[in-house]
Every structure is written in structure tokens, then in C-alpha cells.
Amino acid sequence: MTYRKLITTSLLLATAALAQIPTPESVLGHKPGDDFYLATYEDALGYFRKLAVASKRIKLVNVGKTTQGRDWFIAFISDPENLAQLDHYKDISRRLAISRGVTDEQAHALAKQTKPIIHIDGGLHASEVANHQHTIQLGHDLVASEEPDFKNIRQNLIVELWFSINPDGQTIVADWYRQNVGTPYEVSPIPELYQEYVGHDNNRDGYMLNMIESRAITKATLDTEPLVFYTQHQTAPFPGRIYLPPFADPISGNMHPLMLRWLNLIGMSIAQHLDDHGLTGSMHQETFDVWYPGYIDNIGNFRHTISFFTETALYRYATPHFYTVDEFPAVRQGLGTEMLYSSPWKGGWWRLADACRYMYEADMAVLNLSTKYREQMAYNKYRAARDTIEKFEKEPPFAYEIPREQHDAPTAALLLEKLMLHGIEVHQSSKPDAWVIEMNQPFAGLVKELFEPQVYPTLSQRPYDVTGWTLPYQMGVEVHAVTTPLSKQYRDSLQPIKEIKGLAAPFNRGTNASYRAINEILAAKGSVTFSGNDIATSGIDKGKLDSILTENHLRATDAKAGDSAKPIKGQRIGLYRSWVASMDEGWTRWVLEQSKFPYTNLYNADIRGGHLRDHYDVIVIPDMAERQILEGHRPGTIPERYAGGIGEEGAQELRDFVTDGGTLIAFNNASMFAVNQFKLPVENALATVRPDQFFCSGCLVNVHIEDTKNALTTGLAADTTVMFERGPAFDTKTGFKGTVLARYPRDHSPLRSGYLAGPDRLEGKIAALSAEYGKGHVLLLGFKPQWRGQSHAAYKFFFNAFYQ
Ligand SMILES: [Zn+2]
């Protein structure tokens, strides 16, 4: 039965009408949204399998495996005759999305005859539980309900229902809640990331596609080319009950304007539909901007799929909560009517069932609107693609050229592989020897968005996320924008490519791929010797060496080990892992694994347990506040084994570790933990600046390497771009012993991309240093050298410390 039926008709009548199709409660023993109940992904999948056996209106499709190895299914729901022609309708969607070879007249005809695909999903932030709980009932009703709007939807649309877009997380969260429900820890935070590596950042990987899940979603989306991509979230600005488009400014100029018009129309349509159903408290335009293109529910706009998220209110998990008006922010306690908050919520109980119902009706609003305007929306997809091609026929950049020979060519190849995953067409030119991205292609706006420096508009409100991400800067890849029209002869000479072949960059310290190759050689018991930028190998079979190098886009050089040079030793690496689940730790772990550095996670008890030097040479502390490292979760807020941090005892063990010759590496704000706990003669020059003097929520800045011959900075470009995100900048004090590794420029702004207020505060300050302590070293990096698996140009800031 539908949520609506529950309210308006008797349970018996509705059940009798749909007797042959199993209801969620008949399978799960609970109605999704019940207080204190959460279905795991396995529960949801089990239910959808039964639904698919009982009805021809639903088809389950496997989209691959998740990071933790779960089989991942999505559901297509429509009338059986539409599902029988799913491939045909997918084909139409793709033809409209590409637009080439389709005339305006044909596009109108295709838009008229097609049954467009609409993507609705159960969210990727697993702690926002209504996201994936509400889709169970929605799936049932879309399949079983005979109400007119459901019939209409099935007749005219194909619903691509991702009942969970983070299956691993759904189960992690449900299992955690089940352990704690009814105990004092019922609403305690989850001590692990609900995506194996990146937790909440799983919605910040939309263009980089580092995670398996991001790639699966992108691949499926390019296959079905939905008109709408709608993702549920559950963090509404309080006391709003649901946050809807229009979003806050600023917004990228690289999207087709129609995408924004449609998402605003959809947002308003949801609000109106919710008020129609007595669901008050829709809110717009506060808090969340979508300047950062990495959200998986935003990136599609650059590919002409109307993509957006909404944020419904959440208390915690499936636990209900009663709100009184005096808990509201002062400005909203009067319950006044506002233009974009015209049905203020008045407080009272808020249950998981309420959140599920808001999401369910919001989905219905989107589906009803898409039913009504399907033809126009389908044509618009074509038009946006055609307009984009025409735009870049007439205006620069006409193309981007990426030379095959450069400082780190395999990383350039990686950048191109990422673009190809987004359906971007890449060509090879022979003169010059370069990869070429012609901009007269349907998704060119995405390329421009990722390649150009970001110029953040005048600050009207604090940015919600980082403000600059320019990939060629972050990855240290040389890219040239072509600003004069390409000749026909040049265009004709270009060869389309589907993969990067035949690249063989010199095996030296300049390329990140060399570090993976070194680790593979060491793992194969080979021997590696450094001489400056050069790498010499011995003790490994030539065939094995060649295959390692080829797989990494590398070729052997004639570098010979110097007489005095000693072979390097891979260091024993420990990576601090707090029970305050840290995305920065997860990203670090992921980057280490990608480059095949062996490591061990060190929990609080491992650090407090001591004897660290016996087992480790290098310990990495990812970006965390000093207090979080020392104190962790407060006792009483989480089951005891997860409470507390490393404490004074752990700090002493770390000091002993370095005294005995170990290396401690601290990322970003963890640097200040090291400065304070080791009493290093270093200070944070930004410690006392006010937000009106200096502000940066994440931008790309330049650092200058003091000495590229230093073992810790070999291989880095003399001027390297790093992600500065709320970090420290250092000055040394009297008594400092050690080496300054990198500084912000002394006489000009370090800003390369994004927004930075008060750039002079960074000028001349130290970005990275190595401080001597006992027989060991503390390496302080005042930025995020592994930021979201994107800042490849800065990886060597810590990779180099992993060899002796
Ligand atoms: Zn969310």
C-alpha cells in the first residue's frame, strides 16, 4: 500500500487489491520508516528480488560490485511493454544526449516517441537513513499501485531506481544502529567510514571517479542518459523540513542554462506538491551552493542531465525526536512566512517515517512533472548538447592540447582516462605529439570546468566547499588551451582514441607511477638505488622489470647506481586511524594502496601500547585537530571501546618513537598537534588572524620548493600546486633545527585557482618543513598533499619520506 493509502483508506482494502505483490512489511517484518528499525542493503535487495519475481513491471539489473564486494543491483520500473524495449529507449536517450547526426526535426520526433528514463536514488550518505529506507516503499508502490498518477508514470516513463547508491554504507549503518538501539548509545556516531575509504566524501568524487561506486554510477548514467538525476540527502537547514532547489549562489557558468531553469522549476514543483499534501517546511537557497562540481548529484548537469539533490530533515537514525519552537534559531521562532519558506514548520515530533514520506512525495513530484513535460525535457537534452557543440565551434577554447612528453606523463594519461570515463572524446595528434580534446563535443562544458582556473565570484556567503580544483594544476599536468580555430587539415589529422597506448615515460623520480613501480620491484625482492632524480635497479629478472614498467606507462633508463649509493629500503609505515572516522585518513589509505605502499593502520590502543620504533619507521597522522587526536570521542557518547584518543600516554609514545629515529608525518592541522606535543620551535602564522583578514575554504596555491635536490623533495616540480584547506602556515622560531622544504611565494599572491581572502598572509610563509627531533624527524605539511585523491602533483611530499 502507498503511504497515502495508509492515511486515507483502511489497511484491509488496500491489501486485498494488491494481494499478489508482496508488501515490504510482509517480507521485512517492518514497514520501512518504522521507529527504531533500519533495513540493511541485504534486506532491501531481498525485498526487491521478491518484487521482481512477482511483477513484470520491474527489472533488476546488476551494475557491478561495491568496494566491499557486495553485488549491486538497481531496478527499472515501467509498464512491461516499455521494459521489453528498454534497450531501444536507452538508445534514443543516448542519441539525444550526443545530438550529432540528429536533425532538429528528428530530435522532436524522438522526444515525442520516447519513454524517457528518470533516475531516482536512495542517497549515498548512509547515515542519512531515510534516503535508502524510503525507496523500499517507493519501489513497491511504483510497481503495485493502481492509482492514476502511478499508472501514468509507468505508461510514460522508465524509472531507474537505485534503491541504494551506497550499499556498503547502508548495511554498516543499519548494523551499528541495531547493536545500539535501546542502549544509552542508541544515537552515537559511527566509528568507521560508511564508504570504505572516503565516507561522506563519496559525494565529492563525481568528476575524479576514484571510487568504484562513482565509476559504476557514471557508467550506468552514460548508458541510460536519464533526463533527471535525483539524489536524496538528509541534512536540511534547521528548522526547514526539506531543502530544495533553487540552490544558493554561486553556480558554474559552464552548465547549459536550461539545466538550471529546469532544476529550479523542479524544486518549486516539489515544494508545491508537498504543501498540497500537508507537508510543510520546504526551504530553498540557504546554505548549500553547488559551486564544487564534484558532487555526483551535480556533475550530470555538465552532461545535460538535470541533476540535483534535496536535503530532508534528520534527527538520528530511526530514533524519533520532539522539537519545540524555542529550539529554533531566534530569527525563526516567530514562525513568520518568508518568500522561499512560505509554510514554516511549527515543530513537534519528527520521525523516520516523516522523513521517508517527504522524500517519497518529493520523488512523486519529480515523476509527475517528468510525465507531464517529458517531451520538452527530452528535446532540451538534445538542444543543450547541440548548443554546446555550436558554442565551441565559435568561441575559445577550441581545443586543449596535452603534450605526451612532460614532467609526469603517466599522470597526464590518468587525467585523460578520467575524462574518457565521462564520455569525453579524446584524440591523438602526431604533430605536435599530443593528446587533443576538441571542444566541439556535447560534454565540453565539463572539460572547461575541470581545466580552467576557477574565479570565484564576489563573496556573498561563505563557500560551502572548496573553491578551486583545476585538475591540470592539481595533477601537475601541462595543458594548453587552443584559442584560435582549428584548421580543417589539423582536425582531419586527429585520430580518436579509446585508451592510452604506447606511453613509455622515463622511469625516474618525476613521475608518480615510478613510485608504484618501485614498490612492485621491492615486493618482487628487486633492489632499487636512487641517484638524484634517477632510479637504478638490480636483482630483478628483466622480463619482470619490463612488465612492471610497461604496466605503469614507463620505460627503463640507463641510470646506473653510483659506487657509493646504497639501495633504498621501503619503510615500515603506520597510518593513524582514529575512531573519530576521518575521511582524510581514508583518502590517505586509498592513495597508499593505489601506489602499493604497504602500511598498517594504528588505532589509539596501538599507539598507547608503545614499542612503536620496533615496528615502524614512519608514522602518518592525517588531517585532524589536536584535541581529536588526544581525546577522540568523549566517554559516555559512544560504546566504551571507541571512546577517547591517544591521550598523553600516546603522545609520549610518539615522542619516544621519533627520539629513537622514527619519522612522524603530520598533514594539515595535525601539524599543530606535532608542534605542540613535541614543543617544536615552529608557529602557525595564521593562528591569530581574524576571518576578515584571511579566509580560505579550499583553493589551489603555489608553493616553491627550496631545494629540489633534497631527498624529501626530489621529483617535485620547482613550483608545485597544493590544496590549501583551512590549514596552518609556518614560521620557525629561534632554536629551530631542520630543513624548510617549501614556501609560499615571497612577493606575490600564491593563489592559482579559487577564492583566497588575504593572500599576503601566506606570502613567504613556510608550507612544508622537516624538523629534527632526537634521532628522528617530524615532517610538517601545512596543506592536504593527498586531497580527495586529486592532488597528484603533491603526492611526493610524503611518498619520498617512505624510503630510506
Ligand atoms: Zn548527504
Side-chain angles (χ1 to χ4, degrees), residues 366-403:
V366 172
L367 293 172
N368 288 340
L369 189 87
S370 306
T371 305
K372 196 166 169 190
Y373 292 112
R374 64 189 184 281
E375 190 179 329
Q376 194 180 344
M377 289 162 86
Y379 173 76
N380 279 338
K381 195 174 179 76
Y382 162 82
R383 191 182 143 185
R386 193 190 64 187
D387 288 354
T388 304
I389 294 172
E390 282 173 7
K391 175 180 154 134
F392 289 107
E393 300 261 344
K394 293 191 199 108
E395 64 180 66
F398 296 96
Y400 288 101
E401 272 181 5
I402 299 122

Side-chain angles (χ1 to χ4, degrees), residues 140 147 294 353 483 624 696 752:
H140 170 269
E147 284 184 58
T483 52
M624 283 194 110
C696 177
R752 291 205 83 191

Side-chain angles (χ1 to χ4, degrees), residues 607-608 630 646-656 673 677-678:
I607 296 211
R608 285 195 303 259
L630 288 172
I646 67 166
E648 286 305 323
E649 206 186 330
Q652 184 57 48
E653 293 298 343
L654 288 173
R655 285 190 290 269
D656 291 348
F673 160 82
Q677 293 299 320
F678 285 69

